[in-house]
Amino acid sequence: MTTLPLLDIRDLTVEFSTRRGIVCAVERIDVSVGKGETLAIVGESGSGKSVTSYAVMRILDRAGCIAEGTITFSGIDLRAASESDMRNLRGREISMIFQNPRAALNPIRKVGHQIEDVLMQHAQAGSQDVTAKAIELLEQVRIARPRERYHAYPFELSGGMCQRIVIALALACRPQLLIADEPTTGLDVTTQKTVMELVVELTRQRGMSTILITHDLGLAATYCDRVTVMEKGHIVETATARAIFTAPEHAYTRRLMRATPRPGVSLRDLLPEDAIARPTAQVLPIAADKTPLLVVEKLVKEYPSQGASRSLANLFRRGPAPESETFRAVDGISFSIGRGESVGLVGESGCGKSTTSTMIMRLTDATSGLIQFDGADIGTIPAKSFARLAIRKRIQMVFQDATDSLNPRFTAARAIADPILRLGGIKGRNAVRARCEVLARQVGLPLDLLDRFPHQLSGGQKARVGIARAIALHPELMILDEPTAALDVSVQAVVLNLLQELKETLGMSYLFVSHDLNVVRLLCDRVLVMRAGRIVEQGPTNQVLHAPEADYTRELLAAIPHPTFEPESNHARSA
Amino acid sequence: MLRMILQRLMIAVPSLIGVVIVTFLLTRALPGDTAAYFAGPAATQEAIDQIRVKLGLDKPLIVQFGRYVQDLARGELGMSLTTGQPVATDIRTRLPASAELTLLGLIVSMVIAVPLGIFAATRPGSMVDHLCRVIATAGVSLPVFFTGLILVYVFYYLLGLAPAPLGRLDIFFSPPPQVTGFFLIDSLIAGDGDMFLASLKQLILPVLTLAIFSIAPIARMTRASMLAVLASDFIRTARASGLSPKTVIVTYAFRNAMLPVITTLGMVFSFLLGANVLVEKVFAWPGIGSYAVEALVASDFAPVQGFVLTMAVMYVVLNLLIDILYGVVDPRVRIEA
């Protein structure tokens, strides 16, 4: 390279002082970004990819410090720059977009004013034209009715819209470098696509350089020129996106590549090559009984659409509440799940998939419709009394957030034992403990971890605890509500395989709720696609994903980022 | 906004009805025979019975309640046996005294506590932070009558800087014509600068006493909520956008951090208003708290009833004000209402 890179990081080491001493978050890394270049930094949680970007911006929190190395941005030594110089650079020369856009905006300040704050700070506008400029920026990030939205608060906007505001903030002063830290995590795939395309288009228009920080290799390879892969604070590989995707050199990159669910692979393919294949236990013959295990018919859930209708003011209102005040979260859906079958329920946030699963779990009451489990009408049993019935044992749930769904004061063993103590009918401390150990072995949780508390376990281990707890009572139907959404891809691969194995050995049926079509593809026999409370398409997974009938399904499939240079050789080599 | 206020007012109605019922029953449950007390120690049984009939105390409880509600509707709270004045008049003259004291105490403590909490939060573990903790702990652990007495001892007895702790005004002044009941404001309305200074001098020590006591909850709350807000994502965004520290702390952090502080303020205020009995005693302040305690000791139920009712109404009004303030600061609340 003859020209100097815009950003040049050399030998960067970032340390955090913690109670247990100094922890090195990033160790001796080199990163450089040229003018107009798009670089992706890919890694799993704890790899130090975000810390690197905070170090560049010098917004590490109090405990963190740059211990070694240099960061040069267009000739300026950022490590030596004064705080006021840094303040001038931040937002004007280097900007950042963050994960969780709604939290990234001041909740009680109008979004227009937040954009104005940045414009005024960097003297990009005077008090006369600042409003006009802010509205112009809103237009540029394609916010419909920008004049009106200027006065909106973040809570009045959708997640995708908030991310556009954050992008508008970041691009307000036409910076040279944009750092996007997981900009689309938590957004729906279709929103992800529009947001990413917007970023790419705007940065290209302005000749900006971009660093995209992500855990998603597909996203990185689709939108970036070069990819840097990080693991545990080190850079393991840097190469062009094409090279990374077609010929990854480092073992970790290859492992990461393998673990990413994608078309044309099976569950087993996700596991590392050297993984010891666990002997598949006796596969239970699926019961000859052809009657479906679960039948749902014309299920409806309505919510009052206004918060006001809950208030006491209603007591003083004459006459019944107007009909229009309800919102149908689930709008007359019908489906069934056979014995030993796994059905995927796919849709974007707000489509009613979680409401559906909680109704089947009988955690909320349906407004109308039928829920029949093994011939028994469970839909009519009030949610309050259902928890005490014997039938409750036969339906279990695994929740999305493995951390939040465990009691922080229960050990793993106590968490697993919880359903056994309530409904299991096993008496005596030793018997319960023995059952817990059997379950732990089943889910591959080392027995010495049983006495640890959730905060002492990793994400994958917590997921295993959640699964062990769910299978403790030999359920026939398991509802899996995005069980791997919060996990790193390599952990997700292991957990998905575990779920598949358990399903085969225990003969369970799954209702697998997810927004990730690639994951559903791997695990489910049939798939239901939901949108706005209705099922728009259902059928065998292969058929729905390869020859979708509904436009919406096609749209969903098209939105999944996968690089255009679909590698043919990859398959041959890994085989 | 107006709809929200109306709704809040409607929610207040049932609680006010409850307060009316409870105060009525509570004062009836007080030990001691009111009629006997009213008749005096030398009265015969006959005279006591006569007074009982006259006061309506021989009637069934429900009839007494009916009469009580009727009186209330006319704004009558009954007669105080100890002062011989209508309770409504007593409260009207004494409430402003307490309110002036408490309000000023709260303002002074806010002026000290809020910046202290912010400084402590922006520099956790620094000297300011430790100072904040020491002041807060000391302030809350010393009983008000003790700090009050110490202040009187030092500033009046030893240094002679403060006037004698004998009520709202020096005896050489007569109170200004009543407009608001707040002497500071009334004296300004009357254009009497000397009286303003005189009443201010009287206020300084009791106000300080209350302020020292209420610094703790406000400072600690401000610090905690500032710390929480400063650690949040949008502050990181603001810093990453290069906003100046002043904008980040004042416009972004402070306004968000104020939400829980406002709630605390309301609680502290209503708590102080009722609980400053001891301060009123120490400084011979003709306030509502000492009035209620004296009546309670004398089994004089009408003033007690009036006091509890007034406090309840004030509490409702205060909560309404806080809700409105909350709505002004936080747009999310406005929508939910």
Side-chain angles (χ1 to χ4, degrees), chain A residues 527-538:
Chain A
V527 61
L528 314 169
V529 183
M530 260 186 103
R531 183 187 205 183
R534 290 169 183 275
I535 292 179
V536 294
E537 182 164 6
Q538 60 174 308

Side-chain angles (χ1 to χ4, degrees), chain A residues 246-286:
Chain A
T246 52
E249 274 177 15
H250 196 274
Y252 177 74
T253 317
R254 242 174 285 156
R255 219 159 52 233
L256 210 58
M257 283 286 307
R258 274 185 78 90
T260 308
R262 59 206 180 276
V265 294
S266 75
L267 265 178
R268 285 268 162 215
D269 292 340
L270 300 185
L271 294 177
E273 290 156 73
D274 50 352
I276 308 145
R278 286 172 64 159
T280 312
Q282 189 70 49
V283 175
L284 278 189
I286 291 169

Side-chain angles (χ1 to χ4, degrees), chain A residues 54 57-60 62 87 90-91 94-96 98-100 103-109 113-114 117-118 121-122 153 155-156 166 169 307-308 311-313 316, chain B residues 3 7 10-11 13-14 121-124 232-245 247 251-253 255-256 259 329-332 334-337:
Chain A
Y54 294 167
M57 294 290 274
R58 289 247 315 261
I59 53 169
L60 289 165
R62 229 168 269 277
R87 218 156 44 232
R90 286 184 206 130
I94 314 174
S95 289
M96 256 185 112
F98 297 95
Q99 192 177 354
N100 195 357
L105 293 169
N106 186 344
I108 61 171
R109 194 162 172 79
H113 292 169
Q114 298 191 42
D117 286 340
V118 178
Q121 177 73 39
H122 297 295
Y153 291 96
F155 73 97
E156 295 170 318
V166 175
L169 273 181
S311 82
L312 254 171
F316 300 93
Chain B
R3 207 175 129 223
Q7 275 182 1
M10 277 205 272
I11 295 170
V13 169
T122 46
R123 297 168 185 77
S232 62
D233 284 3
F234 65 87
I235 294 297
R236 193 183 55 193
T237 314
R239 287 177 59 205
S241 312
L243 298 188
S244 67
T247 318
T251 320
Y252 281 72
R255 257 187 78 196
N256 280 281
L259 296 172
V329 180
D330 190 345
R332 288 166 293 187
R334 260 176 264 164
I335 300 297
E336 271 165 39

Side-chain angles (χ1 to χ4, degrees), chain A residues 35-89:
Chain A
K35 275 202 170 64
E37 193 189 24
T38 323
L39 173 80
I41 301 182
V42 180
E44 298 189 297
S45 47
S47 61
K49 53 194 195 303
S50 288
V51 170
T52 308
S53 66
Y54 294 167
V56 171
M57 294 290 274
R58 289 247 315 261
I59 53 169
L60 289 165
D61 52 325
R62 229 168 269 277
C65 75
I66 300 171
E68 253 184 89
T70 53
I71 305 172
T72 321
F73 175 77
S74 65
I76 307 165
D77 181 1
L78 293 190
R79 208 184 147 191
S82 71
E83 182 56 29
S84 67
D85 286 345
M86 276 314 293
R87 218 156 44 232
N88 282 331
L89 288 176

Side-chain angles (χ1 to χ4, degrees), chain B residues 215-229:
Chain B
I215 278 175
I218 300 172
R220 299 298 286 170
M221 198 66 195
T222 309
R223 178 182 179 273
S225 94
M226 272 303 274
L227 273 180
V229 170

